[in-house]
Amino acid sequence: MKRLLVSCCFCMCMLAGYANVVLPNIFGHHMVLQREQPVAIFGQADPGEQVSVRFGDQTKRVTTDGGGRWKILLSPMKASDIGQDLTIQGVNTIVLRDVVVGEVWICSGQSNMEYQMRKLEKLSPPQTGGDFPKDEVEIAKNPQIRLFLVRRKFLTKPDHTYAGWSIAQDSALRQFSAAGYFFAKKVQSELDVPVGMISAAVSGSRIEPWIPQVALQHEAYFKGQKIEGDPGKFFESMIAPLAPYTIKGFLWYQGETNVFLQENISYAYKLKTLIKSWRRQWGDDRLPFYFTQIAPFQYSIDEAGKQRMSRYVLPAFREAQDLVLQLPHTGRIVTTDLVDDVTDLHPSYKWEVGRRLALQALRKTYNYPLVADGPTCKAIRVRGGMALIVFDHAHGLHTRDGEALTGFEVAGEDGNFFGADAYIQRQTVYVSASAVPKIVHVRFAWDEAAQPNLVNGAGLPALPFRSDNPYKKLKL
């Protein structure tokens, strides 16, 4: 009898627990709701249960479906840095404190995106000079920047403390993505609204785990191929559970591991598939996606000093990365000038990476009248022994060190490249080499360690390129 009573009590507790409203872990105290868009509030409860959501002057109700799922869309709201309560009520009541309204972005990738703010404290001043935020963690006290760090297993089971979001300071900031934080800092200072950053990055990860396996199977390029690298592993545990939390867009910094695998065009199709599948997960094919071009590094030499690949694998990989710019609402930053040591796979200039990603968002998402891209080759005109290279985003072309232009090479019909002399005239660079009387090919920064000095008036570096790009007419 006693055993039966205990069993009945246990079942009643289980039923009561199941009937409670349960929120995904992305919801919590101090979170940021996306402004000026319908905002999804969602979760789980008992099938047929009535759930209400109250925030500000809005109260909305819904009945859960047969699986106990529910979702409510709050009407679009203006930005507000005044924290309010978000109340969700079914048979139980959940109150989330200090909820603000602003801009919400997801940043993802591998170690250079994961690179934590705490590491800045141990760095020596960078060689390029400029502002070095060594003590940023100590001085950061801006409650308008909020952070959510996705750990690998954190989203898989409910956390009833609702403590996933934090104000960007102290220990929460020390553990957070430096590139993500500095992106938020720049965007927040320009827009003057709260900014929420969600970081989901894994050191050493290939791109494949971030893409749902079914999406790769439906991409025509991979038909009949077996895709290695654990497709979907991190997507299923670290990205999909975030949806449909309302966001503004994505930041991506990944690719080093795939460079080691000597990928090029296949990576372009994988990145295309990732972008489209993430947008599909949120039901919005207009979500911005801004990515970081891979920085200079000595990939060709292994730890024993032996050559393991061509010095041109990295520039060809960058060329493949850029193919996804064919997709709408995408952008890319160049980082050839942000490395002090080409044997360091984790260059320290994450504050500038974040700022440049923010420039992409400010220009292309928020329509700010600023320069977000470095000089980009628009056209090449050859006149015998002289090549004229016309650039876009070229106002104020100059060299960042005041020295002669570097990084340009030319070749004749034999395809043998020689270093070239180059000079600037307005938005055009004139290139020649005495060893090549008749120029056929031109390339710029076409080496894994290249750190050329051509920049525009905004100080943004020129994009590496080659005139004989085999994929220039390819449509993804």
Side-chain angles (χ1 to χ4, degrees), residues 21 38 63 83 174 184 250 259 266 275 344 351 356 453:
V21 173
T63 300
R174 288 176 61 81
F250 304 105
V259 175
S266 61
I275 295 170
D344 182 3
W351 55 92
R356 290 181 187 178
N453 58 2

Side-chain angles (χ1 to χ4, degrees), residues 257-385:
T257 299
N258 293 83
V259 175
F260 279 115
L261 297 172
Q262 302 188 49
E263 282 199 77
N264 44 64
I265 186 61
S266 61
Y267 186 89
Y269 284 98
K270 290 172 185 175
L271 187 54
K272 166 199 165 185
T273 306
L274 182 146
I275 295 170
K276 296 182 76 171
S277 62
W278 286 21
R279 287 172 171 174
R280 189 178 305 114
Q281 189 71 24
W282 267 264
D284 185 354
D285 60 7
R286 297 175 59 85
L287 284 173
F289 188 98
Y290 302 127
F291 66 92
T292 303
Q293 191 182 79
I294 299 303
F297 178 73
Q298 195 170 275
Y299 289 95
S300 63
I301 306 299
D302 67 15
E303 292 76 7
K306 297 181 179 179
Q307 186 167 347
R308 60 185 163 195
M309 66 181 77
S310 165
R311 298 181 63 87
Y312 306 134
V313 168
L314 175 59
F317 180 86
R318 292 174 178 151
E319 195 173 61
Q321 281 185 296
D322 272 11
L323 286 171
V324 301
L325 295 176
Q326 297 174 21
L327 301 180
H329 315 295
T330 55
R332 164 261 297 124
I333 67 167
V334 176
T335 60
T336 51
D337 60 331
L338 300 183
V339 174
D340 288 341
D341 178 3
V342 296
T343 66
D344 182 3
L345 190 60
H346 305 104
S348 62
Y349 294 81
K350 299 300 184 289
W351 55 92
E352 181 62 13
V353 170
R355 189 189 76 89
R356 290 181 187 178
L357 287 168
L359 294 179
Q360 291 287 313
L362 289 167
R363 178 70 184 92
K364 298 171 184 177
T365 298
Y366 301 111
N367 299 314
Y368 267 47
L370 49 74
V371 178
D373 292 291
T376 305
C377 178
K378 179 181 180 181
I380 300 174
R381 304 185 183 109
V382 177
R383 298 173 182 173

Side-chain angles (χ1 to χ4, degrees), residues 195-222:
V195 175
M197 294 301 301
I198 301 168
S199 176
V202 176
S203 179
S205 59
R206 295 167 56 156
I207 191 174
E208 293 86 348
W210 299 101
I211 309 171
Q213 186 170 21
V214 66
L216 286 168
Q217 291 170 345
H218 283 89
E219 168 55 51
Y221 180 85
F222 299 111

Side-chain angles (χ1 to χ4, degrees), residues 397-406 424 452-455:
L397 275 187
H398 67 286
T399 59
R400 57 186 166 87
D401 55 6
E403 302 294 329
L405 283 170
T406 61
I424 300 167
N453 58 2
L454 179 61
V455 297

Side-chain angles (χ1 to χ4, degrees), residues 11-46:
C11 290
M12 290 176 68
C13 289
M14 289 293 290
L15 288 171
Y18 181 66
N20 281 349
V21 173
V22 177
L23 295 176
N25 290 351
I26 186 58
F27 291 98
H29 307 298
H30 313 299
M31 68 181 180
V32 182
L33 301 180
Q34 177 61 46
R35 66 168 174 162
E36 298 174 357
Q37 295 177 210
V39 172
I41 311 295
F42 54 96
Q44 194 82 15
D46 213 22

Side-chain angles (χ1 to χ4, degrees), residues 393-436:
H393 315 296
H395 180 73
L397 275 187
H398 67 286
T399 59
R400 57 186 166 87
D401 55 6
E403 302 294 329
L405 283 170
T406 61
F408 288 94
E409 298 174 287
V410 295
E413 291 183 358
D414 60 6
N416 294 321
F417 280 89
F418 295 86
D421 298 317
Y423 64 90
I424 300 167
Q425 247 187 33
R426 297 181 181 175
Q427 295 183 316
T428 302
V429 172
Y430 291 74
V431 180
S432 63
S434 58
V436 185

